[in-house]
Amino acid sequence: MDQANIVLPGHPHDHEVFRHLPFPFAEGRFPDSLGAVVQCTVLEGREPAREVVHTAENSWIVGDGFNDPNLPNAAVVSCMRLVVEQNSTVARLADLPLGHLAYRENPGMPWVVEPHSWPEE
């Protein structure tokens, strides 16, 4: 399993996170140690989570659907647990199938789920 120890701003303890954990998750909940690539704007609460990707390779990505996540320092590895603390409705997506994207226009709007594919370069 790929793992990393990280220290998150505002959180005094190291968090061991794992990139890939067996899916589906027990009890339909994100494991506390599940890691994801998360836009800093979402993690810091400056923007809501508007996009959640569960890649075909069983990795998770969370974005704000607005700012460019590919800019330097725009995204970090974090615990999905911290994403859910900022955006409680993300917890509903723990059963998002491999290779799918969930998105919404804004908080309070329903999540729309569809197959995910990477754009052609």
Side-chain angles (χ1 to χ4, degrees), residues 52-57 61 98-102 114-121:
V52 176
V53 178
H54 189 189
T55 71
E57 298 78 29
I61 303 167
L98 291 165
H100 281 74
L101 159 75
E114 63 184 38
H116 173 261
S117 61
W118 297 106
E120 300 279 330
E121 293 282 333

Side-chain angles (χ1 to χ4, degrees), residues 2 15 24 35 37 47 57 64 66 72 80 107:
D2 299 334
H15 298 278
V37 175
E47 290 285 344
E57 298 78 29
D64 66 21
F66 181 71
M80 280 297 284

